[in-house]
Amino acid sequence: GCTMMPGTATARSVTEAETDLAAMSFEAALHELESRVARLESGDLALDESIRLYARGEALRAHCEARLKDAQMRIEKIVQPAPGEHVGTAPFVAD
C-alpha cells in the first residue's frame, strides 16, 4: 500500500498539471489555448470557471512562447557558420 503524507495530494496535482503541460507539443498547447480563449470570450462562464480557464490559458501561453524561443535558438544554431566558414546568415524572425 501507498501511504500519503499530509499535503502530498495537492503537491502531486500541481506536479501532474505541470508535467502534462511540459509534455505538450506547441500545436496541442496552442489548440487548447485557442479553445479556452473562445470559451472565455463567450461570456457564459461563472467567475470561478473564468479564473480557472484564464490561469490555465496563461500557463499555455507561456509554454507556447518558451517552445517558440527554443525553436528559434535551435534554428539560429543550425544556420550559424562553423568557425572559419564565411556563410552569411540572418537571425530567425518569427511572424
Side-chain angles (χ1 to χ4, degrees):
C2 179
T3 59
M4 294 180 68
M5 297 179 68
T8 304
T10 302
R12 180 179 290 168
S13 297
V14 170
T15 303
E16 286 173 1
E18 290 172 355
T19 302
D20 179 50
L21 187 59
M24 289 183 85
S25 69
F26 172 81
E27 292 79 8
L30 184 61
H31 177 73
E32 183 180 335
L33 177 59
E34 289 172 342
S35 68
R36 286 174 183 273
V37 168
R39 287 183 64 197
L40 284 166
E41 288 178 343
S42 73
D44 295 333
L45 302 171
L47 179 59
D48 287 345
E49 179 71 2
S50 294
I51 291 169
R52 188 182 66 77
L53 285 173
Y54 182 84
R56 175 69 175 179
E58 185 59 26
L60 288 162
R61 183 204 58 78
H63 176 71
C64 287
E65 186 175 294
R67 296 288 285 225
L68 285 174
K69 285 181 180 178
D70 179 58
Q72 179 180 348
M73 287 190 306
R74 284 186 286 147
I75 290 168
E76 288 177 352
K77 184 176 181 181
I78 291 168
V79 299
Q80 290 300 318
E85 288 185 11
H86 300 288
V87 179
T89 61
F92 175 80
V93 178
D95 292 332

